[in-house]
Amino acid sequence: MDWLEASNEKYTFEAFSISHITVILLLFTISGFIFLYRTKLGQSGLRKTEWVTALSLLAAEIGFHLWMIQNGIWTASQSLPLELCSISLFLTVALLITRCYVFYELLLFTSLLGASQALFTPVLIFDFPHFRFFHFFYTHLIIIWVPLYFTWVFGYRPTLSSVIKVFLFLNTLLPIVMGVNRLVMGNYMFLSHKPESTSLLDSLGPYPWYILSLEGLLAALSLIVWILFRERTADGPFRVNK
């Protein structure tokens, strides 16, 4: 059984419903809080909070897989953590635990280009207060807030080499995910075919050419993220702390 068929009607999610808009408002509210109180947060000694957040992400992801197994809807073709947001989740955990700049370089781009899109156009059928609703939005919100936290509080900043690194990272994953897709008859990262529903991919050409279009889009959007978050001039307010 397709796990999407496991929906209960009383939990059916609708995009831009009250619950969805509340999550979007929460995204901007906490993001604004992190920016406005970045100095105080930097002086607060939040190392334990970072560890707790990392462990909570792992617990949420494990809980999600246990929930799928319990309901008989876990399948290798749909449930492996090979989507971009799943990869971003593990990058988030690694960054929180190690504070390693390399993880920040990758996560800033994958979160802002992937998790943010997922938040505004969620592929979700379970609404509040279902477990899946909380899992989906909690993990995606944290994936976005963490790189913003490291940017504004710790002064981490992407460089042009960061753009190259994320491009190489994702292109290294690409043949691996395509190989897994063939083995399990999956469609992770939409590398086997376009989604059934209307999406941005519809305007990027037929299979497999839309994958090349995605490469160009990735490069362009990554450059935009770099421009927005790059290190400022010597007179600016930010410094890179690697």
Side-chain angles (χ1 to χ4, degrees):
M1 178 178 68
D2 191 314
W3 74 272
L4 290 176
E5 296 176 0
S7 174
N8 185 320
E9 289 185 2
K10 67 179 180 179
Y11 291 127
T12 302
F13 177 82
E14 293 184 9
F16 300 106
S17 59
I18 293 177
S19 59
H20 188 200
I21 292 174
T22 300
V23 170
I24 293 173
L25 291 175
L26 183 64
L27 167 66
F28 288 110
T29 299
I30 300 300
S31 298
F33 175 85
I34 295 171
F35 179 77
L36 292 174
Y37 292 94
R38 59 191 181 277
T39 301
K40 289 185 178 181
L41 289 172
Q43 298 169 347
S44 298
L46 297 175
R47 193 67 184 122
K48 289 184 179 179
T49 302
E50 293 168 15
W51 271 89
V52 170
T53 303
L55 294 176
S56 73
L57 282 176
L58 289 176
E61 191 66 8
I62 292 171
F64 176 48
H65 285 269
L66 290 176
W67 172 77
M68 287 190 289
I69 292 170
Q70 182 181 13
N71 286 276
I73 53 179
W74 194 100
T75 64
S77 63
Q78 298 185 46
S79 308
L80 296 174
L82 291 177
E83 300 291 359
L84 185 59
C85 288
S86 298
I87 294 166
S88 294
L89 184 147
F90 293 111
L91 287 173
T92 303
V93 171
L95 176 58
L96 285 168
I97 291 176
T98 67
R99 291 184 173 178
C100 178
Y101 176 72
V102 173
F103 293 131
Y104 165 81
E105 289 183 285
L106 301 176
L107 179 61
L108 179 68
F109 295 95
T110 61
S111 68
L112 295 184
L113 299 181
S116 60
Q117 183 270 338
L119 270 178
F120 287 100
T121 57
V123 179
L124 184 67
I125 58 174
F126 298 103
D127 203 351
F128 177 90
H130 195 277
F131 161 77
R132 174 57 175 155
F133 175 89
F134 286 105
H135 166 267
F136 182 90
F137 286 115
Y138 175 74
T139 55
H140 284 80
L141 285 169
I142 296 297
I143 287 170
I144 293 174
W145 285 333
V146 166
L148 294 179
Y149 166 76
F150 276 84
T151 298
W152 294 329
V153 175
F154 289 100
Y156 286 36
R157 291 285 167 173
T159 64
L160 270 177
S161 66
S162 304
V163 176
I164 297 173
K165 287 178 185 177
V166 74
F167 192 81
L168 293 175
F169 172 70
L170 293 177
N171 275 278
T172 299
L173 285 176
L174 188 145
I176 297 173
V177 175
M178 291 182 75
V180 173
N181 280 339
R182 287 182 176 273
L183 285 175
V184 301
M185 302 297 291
N187 189 30
Y188 295 108
M189 293 190 179
F190 301 118
L191 293 177
S192 295
H193 56 79
K194 296 180 184 180
E196 301 296 333
S197 57
T198 302
S199 71
L200 173 65
L201 299 183
D202 294 331
S203 61
L204 297 181
Y207 178 87
W209 303 112
Y210 71 84
I211 298 176
L212 294 178
S213 299
L214 280 174
E215 294 274 12
L217 187 61
L218 168 65
L221 293 177
S222 296
L223 286 172
I224 292 173
V225 171
W226 167 70
I227 290 171
L228 292 174
F229 288 89
R230 71 192 188 282
E231 183 180 8
R232 304 310 185 197
T233 62
D235 296 329
F238 304 113
R239 293 181 180 178
V240 176
N241 180 12
K242 301 178 184 178

